[in-house]
Amino acid sequence: MRNFAVLTKALLKNSLSLGKKKAKTLALGALIVVSILPLLWMLYTSSVDMFASRFDLMWLEMFLVATAMLVLWTALFTFASSFYFSNDVPKLLVLPVPSWTIVAAKFVINYISCLTISLIALLPLLVAFIQTHPTQIVGIVMFVLQLFLNILPPLFVMSVLTMLVMRFMPFFANKDRFNLVLGLLGIVFGVSVGVMSNMVSASDGEVVMNLMTQSPVLLGMATKLFFHVPSAAQSIVDGSFVSLLVNVAIIVALGALFFVCAQKLYLPTVLSMSQGAQKKGKRKTIRKQGALASYMSVELKQLVRTPAYLSNCVLGAFIMPIVLVLVFVINPQIRELLPMAKALPLADMFNLWIFMFLLGAGSGFFFGSVNGISGTAFSRQGRNLDFVKYIPLAMEKQILAKMGIGIAFSLLGTIIIVIPAHFIFTYPVYYDLMFVLGALLSTVLINQIAILIDGLHPKLNWEDETQAVKNNMNVMAELFLSWLVLALFVGLFFLIDNLTVYTIVAGLVLVGLIVVFGIITPKLVIKHLMKI
């Protein structure tokens, strides 16, 4: 057990990578928590109403299922990354410790990362349950236990499935292929869910809600898939020790299956996996290129050739706009309104120049902050950050190159939403120029903020490329700070009555912020990176 504790502590420290930047990491985490407080408050108030009604069991089961689904999806990426593709696997296998110690320690790291999801999703429900059931001490204790137990079954199941796939489908034993396939499947799934959810009409949604509130049995399909949820929910609502024992028995059985598969499937597979055979490089004609253009070319190739970066950053810049386009093109309700929409004289109804500029700026703020290209610009260097310091290219130009690539993809993703606008309405194409101008200004500002965040707090200690972009709080900080800046302009809108005056003031403020960040960002980033 001592070896297990020491190894777990070492892996946990390496995974969190706090070190000297502990205060900054905690500050970013606090910022993210503050940003989601409104969502947690809405969840709490809704839970108070549901727990006070006869639908308390249904509500609890629904969120236990939702939490298990999130854990299942998260484990799909994190388990393979840490168990198979982590750089520390070859080093751990030669340690004088039993194999179960390595497997258990790595599982604990995955468990802790998924525990955050459980706490965020279920703590508002726990507070609401305590408020509405203050005398059910046993139920409250059971709820606290389920905060930690509910995520174990989906984590065990996904771990076993991953080991089966890696053992009997060698195609996925390659890290790049595995990450690329999962990334593409994730994007397809996200697009499909977005499109299908918007194809349901309002009346259909009301019917579904009526059916759900009639009987908790309608959750049967979900609870059959996550078969540990009914016993967990019953142990909380009824304070049943029998249900808790059933739940614990399910967890123990799945845990035993996990360790058997780890012994029979995981260790033989990971021992036989190639340690990254190098590809033979082809002879290429060297073409003379400027230093800045050459640096941008290297950055761009790294983005599109690394599956983790391609699926999470590059394709991430386009998934939201594509979903929006498909929703407008496919949604039957919108298609019914097309003749009426096309007949609208938009140019006579309001000033299209102003409207398109504001629409472009708002879209740029949103879509420019979701890809994480600039938000991970220095984190993607990892332990090779010294490369940035010592190559014969000024740091200011390197920052400009990294930011330029982020701006380009952000702007392209934003411009995509012009497609449904022309599909629905009829207006001259030259008005799109104002949309592009507004989008350009906002995406420049957002990428400046992202570069500043990642430059001051780069995540350099990672084992594979997926961790550099998925386990990086800088991406979330960029997203929430961009919304904060957008909220500033929304507040300005309510202070200025005249739309033309507001547009001029907003444009000047936007340009002013770009100038300010353009001056301070390189200085602060260079000063900080040179100290690392």
Side-chain angles (χ1 to χ4, degrees), residues 217-500:
V217 178
L218 293 174
L219 287 174
M221 292 183 62
T223 54
K224 285 180 181 178
L225 179 61
F226 299 97
F227 46 84
H228 69 288
V229 167
S231 57
Q234 290 286 350
S235 67
I236 296 172
V237 175
D238 300 334
S240 171
F241 285 98
V242 176
S243 298
L244 178 63
L245 290 177
V246 172
N247 187 255
V248 172
I250 293 173
I251 294 173
V252 171
L254 291 175
L257 178 62
F258 165 75
F259 279 102
V260 170
C261 290
Q263 188 69 33
K264 302 295 183 181
L265 301 177
Y266 169 68
L267 291 176
T269 303
V270 77
L271 286 172
S272 63
M273 285 176 62
S274 171
Q275 299 301 318
Q278 296 183 351
K279 299 179 181 179
K280 294 183 179 180
K282 297 181 180 180
R283 296 183 62 182
K284 298 182 179 179
T285 303
I286 298 177
R287 184 176 56 183
K288 188 175 181 180
Q289 217 173 7
L292 182 60
S294 179
Y295 188 86
M296 291 187 70
S297 176
V298 171
E299 284 286 312
L300 184 60
K301 289 177 181 177
Q302 184 190 43
L303 269 176
V304 299
R305 290 180 178 178
T306 307
Y309 302 156
L310 175 65
S311 58
N312 292 286
C313 296
V314 178
L315 297 181
F318 300 103
I319 180 172
M320 293 287 289
I322 290 175
V323 168
L324 185 62
V325 169
L326 292 177
V327 165
F328 278 105
V329 172
I330 298 175
N331 194 304
Q333 290 183 324
I334 295 178
R335 294 178 68 89
E336 291 177 0
L337 299 175
L338 281 181
M340 183 186 303
K342 285 185 175 295
L344 290 175
L346 297 182
D348 298 331
M349 296 173 62
F350 42 77
N351 192 325
L352 268 185
W353 295 105
I354 292 178
F355 178 78
M356 294 298 288
F357 176 81
L358 295 177
L359 179 62
S363 302
F365 272 113
F366 181 76
F367 295 117
S369 62
V370 296
N371 55 67
I373 294 176
S374 294
T376 59
F378 294 102
S379 296
R380 295 196 302 268
Q381 300 289 153
R383 298 182 180 94
N384 298 319
L385 185 65
D386 288 341
F387 171 82
V388 174
K389 301 179 184 179
Y390 301 128
I391 62 173
L393 181 65
M395 286 283 288
E396 291 85 353
K397 292 185 177 180
Q398 295 184 50
I399 293 173
L400 181 63
K402 291 176 180 293
M403 187 169 61
I405 293 175
I407 292 171
F409 281 106
S410 300
L411 187 60
L412 286 174
T414 306
I415 292 176
I416 290 177
I417 69 172
V418 173
I419 297 175
H422 284 284
F423 179 78
I424 297 173
F425 303 104
T426 302
Y427 66 92
V429 178
Y430 53 77
Y431 284 110
D432 292 338
L433 294 175
M434 292 302 293
F435 180 92
V436 174
L437 176 61
L440 176 62
L441 292 176
S442 58
T443 52
V444 168
L445 178 59
I446 291 304
N447 281 271
Q448 285 177 326
I449 294 174
I451 285 286
L452 179 62
I453 293 172
D454 196 57
L456 295 179
H457 187 266
K459 180 180 175 63
L460 304 177
N461 192 12
W462 43 264
E463 297 297 334
D464 62 81
E465 293 86 353
T466 303
Q467 292 182 0
V469 292
K470 277 195 169 294
N471 297 347
N472 196 336
M473 287 197 298
N474 294 344
V475 180
M476 297 297 295
E478 173 197 355
L479 179 63
F480 291 123
L481 282 177
S482 66
W483 289 356
L484 196 61
V485 176
L486 182 59
L488 170 67
F489 285 97
V490 172
L492 191 63
F493 174 80
F494 290 103
L495 294 177
I496 302 176
D497 296 332
N498 190 293
L499 186 61
T500 302

